């Protein structure tokens, strides 16, 4: 699977997850964070698809932002949503981190 496809999938997952969190609980931070991280993934995927610079870096940034917010909550609360978000961020960090390492 190509990097841009992975970025688009992760962007769709995080944006839809943030939207669902808002619909279920009315949480403004959920929709703001979900759409922001989804936008970063989507922009990274678009830049990768267009062969423009900083596509991998944007997707890696999205994974770092997602992990920075979800991993501490997953450890502290142990609830399913933060755990799944943490797994998504770790997958993104490994995937895009490895791609970034290959560019060095």
């Amino acid at each position: 699977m190509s990097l841009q496809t992975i970025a688009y999938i992760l962007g769709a997952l995080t944006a839809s997850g943030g939207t669902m969190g808002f619909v279920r609980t009315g949480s403004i931070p959920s929709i703001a964070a979900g759409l922001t991280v989804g936008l970063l993934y989507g922009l990274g995927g678009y830049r990768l698809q267009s062969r423009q610079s900083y596509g991998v870096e944007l997707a890696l940034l999205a994974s770092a932002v997602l992990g920075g917010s979800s991993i501490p909550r997953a450890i502290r609360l142990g609830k399913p949503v933060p755990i799944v978000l943490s797994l998504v961020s770790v997958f993104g960090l490994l995937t895009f981190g490895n791609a970034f390492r290959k560019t060095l």
Side-chain angles (χ1 to χ4, degrees):
M1 189 177 295
S2 66
L3 287 176
Q4 65 261 19
T5 303
I6 293 170
Y8 286 141
I9 290 171
L10 293 180
L13 282 173
T14 55
S16 62
T19 304
M20 288 183 64
F22 174 74
V23 169
R24 281 187 28 218
T25 64
S27 171
I28 301 290
S30 289
I31 196 164
L35 292 178
T36 301
V37 171
L39 180 68
L40 284 173
Y41 275 127
L43 185 58
Y46 173 76
R47 293 187 71 85
L48 283 166
Q49 183 178 1
S50 303
R51 304 216 188 280
Q52 297 176 356
S53 58
Y54 301 113
V56 171
E57 290 85 349
L58 281 170
L60 185 58
L61 174 66
S63 298
V65 168
L66 181 60
S69 66
S70 65
I71 292 173
R73 285 188 317 153
I75 292 169
R76 187 176 74 244
L77 301 176
K79 292 188 177 181
V81 172
I83 291 172
V84 169
L85 289 173
S86 298
L87 293 174
V88 168
S89 72
V90 167
F91 174 74
L93 285 168
L94 291 173
T95 301
F96 298 111
N98 189 38
F100 179 73
R101 183 185 56 83
K102 288 180 181 179
T103 65
L104 297 178

